[in-house]
Amino acid sequence: MTTQQPTDQQAPAGRPVRVMVVDDHPMWRDAVSRDLAEAGLDVVATAGDGEEAVRRARACAPQVVVLDLNLPGLSGAEVCRQVVAHDPTVRVLVLSASGEHQDVLEAVKSGATGYLVKSAGREELLDAVRRTAVGDAVFTPGLAGLVLGEFRRLAAEPPAPAAPVVPQLTARETEVLRMVAKGLSYKQIADRLVLSHRTVQNHVQNTLGKLQLHNRVELVRYAIEQGLDDEI
């Protein structure tokens, strides 16, 4: 995975990224929390079941929730749905033992912006959390294609009867959107367009606001529905 510079791994105010870790296995939860903290991230809360996770996420307002799917009480997918519904700015990175396609798609449809299997190494996890914090959609190799394929399948279905008016995007926003739809990271887009990483982020955030979407995963789906992933 491509790593970002330290300035891109922190919150806008210069503080470390605020992270919450949710897993029902105490040893695993503690190990992940320790790795994140040792890497300079701010672990603001942990939780061992679904209900506790929802409560603590609302109280602590993390930027990134590292979430297991197999939880007592509420499922991980339901936790994701409730947390994102309460605060659409929260980004959820699923960290699961399962790489089953159904689990991946359910997590994404619930609002997760990334999916990593637990066989990932420490550095891969740290990179994924940091990239998730700045808006990248991060998936274990092989799963990104699955998600894009599902979006293409959904885009091929008959459209809803009353489609809303599409807001006007600038030429640059459209250009960035095309690259997002092709699965490029912010750093790759910045390199291709000779822009700063922050400028690319700003274009994506402006586009999200205009389209009334919540995260990059929804943005990719929108771009595919508009056929932008097929354009040069």
Side-chain angles (χ1 to χ4, degrees):
M1 287 189 177
T2 303
T3 56
Q4 309 293 344
Q5 296 301 316
T7 53
D8 293 330
Q9 296 168 358
Q10 296 182 334
R15 295 185 297 272
V17 175
R18 294 167 56 85
V19 186
M20 176 177 174
V21 180
V22 182
D23 197 292
D24 63 330
H25 292 92
M27 290 182 64
W28 180 268
R29 185 171 67 244
D30 292 346
V32 170
S33 299
R34 183 174 60 252
D35 284 346
L36 296 176
E38 289 177 352
L41 301 171
D42 185 10
V43 180
V44 296
T46 63
D49 63 63
E51 289 87 352
E52 181 183 40
V54 172
R55 289 196 306 271
R56 292 192 175 180
R58 292 178 178 178
C60 298
Q63 293 169 266
V64 178
V65 177
V66 178
L67 176 68
D68 187 20
L69 289 182
N70 188 19
L71 297 172
L74 295 177
S75 68
E78 182 58 29
V79 169
C80 180
R81 191 175 294 111
Q82 292 194 25
V83 167
V84 173
H86 177 74
D87 182 359
T89 67
V90 176
R91 290 161 178 148
V92 177
L93 172 66
V94 169
L95 182 60
S96 174
S98 171
E100 294 294 324
H101 291 184
Q102 182 177 352
D103 291 335
V104 178
L105 295 177
E106 182 181 11
V108 172
K109 290 175 182 176
S110 298
T113 52
Y115 196 108
L116 208 62
V117 295
K118 287 186 174 180
S119 58
R122 177 180 182 274
E123 292 305 317
E124 189 176 1
L125 171 62
L126 295 176
D127 182 52
V129 171
R130 289 163 173 157
R131 289 178 58 194
T132 299
V134 296
D136 277 352
V138 185
F139 293 89
T140 291
L143 297 183
L146 166 71
V147 174
L148 289 173
E150 176 66 5
F151 287 159
R152 290 190 176 98
R153 184 190 68 79
L154 293 173
E157 294 179 352
V165 176
V166 179
Q168 291 297 313
L169 302 179
T170 66
R172 180 64 86 184
E173 288 167 349
T174 302
E175 189 174 21
V176 170
L177 182 55
R178 288 187 186 125
M179 294 186 180
V180 169
K182 293 178 182 296
L184 273 65
S185 69
Y186 287 171
K187 185 177 186 303
Q188 290 171 321
I189 296 172
D191 289 344
R192 290 197 183 190
L193 298 180
V194 196
L195 299 172
S196 70
H197 184 281
R198 185 66 62 191
T199 298
V200 173
Q201 276 187 267
N202 289 339
H203 283 310
V204 172
Q205 290 302 316
N206 290 341
T207 303
L208 287 171
K210 287 183 178 181
L211 300 177
Q212 297 183 355
L213 301 176
H214 297 137
N215 54 54
R216 179 166 171 158
V217 173
E218 292 182 1
L219 193 62
V220 171
R221 178 175 177 177
Y222 169 84
I224 291 174
E225 288 173 344
Q226 299 300 313
L228 294 177
D229 61 318
D230 294 327
E231 299 185 20
I232 298 175

